[in-house]
Amino acid sequence: MLLVIDAGNTNVVFAVHDGHAWVGQWRLSTSDVRTADEYAVSLLSLFDRVGLDARAISRAIIGIVVPAALYELRRFCRQWLKVEPLIANAHLDWGEDVLVDNPDELGADRRLNGLAAQKLYGGPLVVVDFGTATTFDVVNEKGQFCGGAIAPGVNLSIDALHRAAARLPRMSVGRPSEAIGRNTNVAMRSGLFWGYVGLVEGLVKRISAEMASRPKIIATGGLAPLFSEGTELFDVLAPDLTLDGLRFLADRNPAPLLSHSPERP
């Protein structure tokens, strides 16, 4: 079985694939101070709840945008699962061309989304990932990653609005029934939700206009189901896209030999 670890800015997602389907997915908050042993306490107990034997894990791969968390995640794989994880970086065989100025600065999550979407749905396409930041990633008809755009995530916008305006409450995002708010709460919800729908629709329209042919529009990320209710923009809702990208990348690359090196990467 394959363990994939998607370490984002907000959450670390652990998922196990048995070669046919995902058999479990779990989320822990991202922390650069959590130790390998703490990961083990949390994750191995979650394995037990679904009857999954940790000894069945034969491979692992890590995609990470928080470099400080890598050392302990790698240690967890080595010490508790007895596997050496692949690290999703530019040195692996991705099977695609990247048409950006500096591939080394490209976030692993963005490239993984492009890889998975191209393999599952074919290009040309635009992947909109609703995460801590909202990213727009473009793959052309040849399967080449062409770049994209990055916007603040909606929860970052909520935090900024609350901090900058003392009298405005902090709230969770939700779809309001109408655009015209007749009180502060509904007005904020309208601005956050419908304003963000407008941002996504407008940016995708501009990106699509620069492409040779109409792309498929793919939505992924934790808030994708919510925002897909407010627009007809998306052709596909793909919640596991980044995890699938890690799975496809692991399939393309040989498993490394187990290392017992204590040194930080």
Side-chain angles (χ1 to χ4, degrees):
M1 291 190 181
L2 171 70
L3 173 69
V4 304
I5 303 174
D6 175 23
N9 289 296
T10 304
N11 293 308
V12 183
V13 181
F14 297 83
V16 175
H17 199 276
D18 67 0
H20 302 284
W22 297 108
V23 297
Q25 294 184 25
W26 307 272
R27 290 176 180 267
L28 300 178
S29 59
T30 300
S31 171
D32 57 7
V33 297
R34 183 178 281 120
T35 68
D37 297 336
E38 289 172 321
Y39 283 118
V41 168
S42 298
L43 195 60
L44 298 185
S45 64
L46 293 170
F47 281 6
D48 288 340
R49 287 180 176 270
V50 297
L52 180 62
D53 188 344
R55 292 172 295 184
I57 303 297
S58 58
R59 299 192 68 192
I61 184 168
I62 301 173
I64 193 161
V65 296
V66 186
L70 176 58
Y71 175 70
E72 295 295 341
L73 286 168
R74 182 181 264 163
R75 259 189 83 229
F76 164 71
C77 292
R78 289 172 174 173
Q79 295 189 0
W80 288 93
L81 302 179
K82 308 303 179 186
V83 297
E84 181 69 24
L86 283 166
I87 310 300
N89 56 38
H91 303 295
L92 296 184
D93 174 15
W94 288 75
E96 62 175 3
D97 295 327
V98 178
L99 307 182
V100 298
D101 294 337
N102 185 359
D104 288 337
E105 72 180 15
L106 182 62
D109 54 341
R110 297 181 60 199
R111 194 166 179 186
L112 289 163
N113 285 342
L115 172 66
Q118 194 279 330
K119 190 171 181 66
L120 291 170
Y121 309 110
L125 57 87
V126 179
V127 178
V128 183
D129 187 349
F130 293 89
T132 305
T134 298
T135 57
F136 301 75
D137 297 312
V138 178
V139 177
N140 66 18
E141 63 280 357
K142 297 179 181 179
Q144 298 167 312
F145 187 97
C146 300
I150 302 173
V154 67
N155 284 319
L156 290 179
S157 300
I158 292 172
D159 289 340
L161 187 62
H162 173 60
R163 287 196 303 269
R167 297 187 63 183
L168 296 181
R170 194 197 186 288
M171 60 178 57
S172 59
V173 64
R175 180 183 179 183
S177 58
E178 52 193 13
I180 301 174
R182 291 171 176 81
N183 57 62
T184 299
N185 186 285
V186 178
M188 287 182 66
R189 290 187 181 277
S190 174
L192 288 166
F193 184 84
W194 295 116
Y196 215 77
V197 168
L199 179 153
V200 171
E201 290 180 334
L203 196 45
V204 168
K205 180 179 179 180
R206 287 181 176 273
I207 290 171
S208 299
E210 296 178 13
M211 300 179 70
S213 57
R214 183 195 179 280
K216 302 179 188 72
I217 312 301
I218 316 296
T220 191
L223 291 174
L226 173 64
F227 282 102
S228 67
E229 296 175 1
T231 179
E232 298 180 355
L233 175 69
F234 300 114
D235 298 302
V236 179
L237 182 61
D240 296 329
L241 201 60
T242 309
L243 301 180
D244 282 324
L246 285 164
R247 176 169 62 91
F248 294 141
L249 187 61
D251 288 344
R252 290 192 63 88
N253 291 269
L257 297 176
L258 181 63
S259 170
H260 299 283
S261 171
E263 297 180 3
R264 288 184 176 270

